């Protein structure tokens, strides 16, 4: 059974940085997508960044140049380095996994992912 556990959230001021981690257990897929989603109060969950098992990453426009998604296969850990944080980045951040038969695109919709972590809160104050 796949389990995902996020950590690293917190409260920072605008312009600050945080690094989120997501440790995966029970993970045996050779091809997959992993992603970070976020959900602000009163808003729908949105995909922010996606990376595949070939380490190809895709970002939404609002975080390009500020956020970096990466994963360490040896540690079964997904990372999310967030720089120059803004109040609009506030929300609960979730990691998610989608097993795949092949990779070559990207997925940003919640229903496209099979496994989810419990989330970690990120709060950015102005």
């Amino acid at each position: 059974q796949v389990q995902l556990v996020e950590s690293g959230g917190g409260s920072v001021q605008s312009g600050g940085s945080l690094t989120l981690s997501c440790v995966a257990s029970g993970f045996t897929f050779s091809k997959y997508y992993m992603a970070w989603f976020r959900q602000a109060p009163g808003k729908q969950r949105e995909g922010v960044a996606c990376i595949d098992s070939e380490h190809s990453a895709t970002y939404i426009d609002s975080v390009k140049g500020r956020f970096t998604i990466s994963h360490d296969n040896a540690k079964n850990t997904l990372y999310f380095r967030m720089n120059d944080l803004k109040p609009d980045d506030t929300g609960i951040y979730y990691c998610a996994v989608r097993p795949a038969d092949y990779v070559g695109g990207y997925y940003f919709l919640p229903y496209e992912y099979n496994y989810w972590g419990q989330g970690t809160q990120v709060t950015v104050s102005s």
Side-chain angles (χ1 to χ4, degrees):
Q1 183 179 358
V2 176
Q3 290 189 323
L4 305 173
V5 180
E6 301 101 333
S7 63
S11 296
V12 297
Q13 291 189 327
S14 184
S17 299
L18 286 172
T19 298
L20 307 182
S21 299
C22 172
V23 179
S25 59
F27 196 94
T28 60
F29 314 117
S30 60
K31 295 186 186 298
Y32 53 84
Y33 293 87
M34 299 186 79
W36 286 99
F37 286 77
R38 66 186 178 192
Q39 189 164 16
K43 295 188 177 180
Q44 292 186 334
R45 191 171 300 188
E46 66 168 347
V48 181
C50 169
I51 189 168
D52 65 28
S53 47
E54 301 298 318
H55 298 270
S56 177
T58 307
Y59 303 86
I60 58 172
D61 287 344
S62 63
V63 307
K64 284 180 181 177
R66 300 190 296 125
F67 293 5
T68 303
I69 187 172
S70 62
H71 65 84
D72 184 328
N73 290 345
K75 296 181 179 180
N76 275 345
T77 301
L78 178 71
Y79 299 100
F80 205 31
R81 176 64 179 177
M82 304 185 294
N83 294 327
D84 190 22
L85 282 159
K86 305 177 187 303
D88 284 348
D89 296 317
T90 293
I92 301 174
Y93 282 70
Y94 301 89
C95 65
V97 173
R98 171 192 171 97
D101 293 325
Y102 60 91
V103 296
Y106 54 87
Y107 295 90
F108 276 111
L109 298 177
Y111 77 85
E112 295 172 319
Y113 284 80
N114 305 80
Y115 304 99
W116 292 84
Q118 83 288 351
T120 185
Q121 177 70 46
V122 172
T123 303
V124 185
S125 57
S126 57

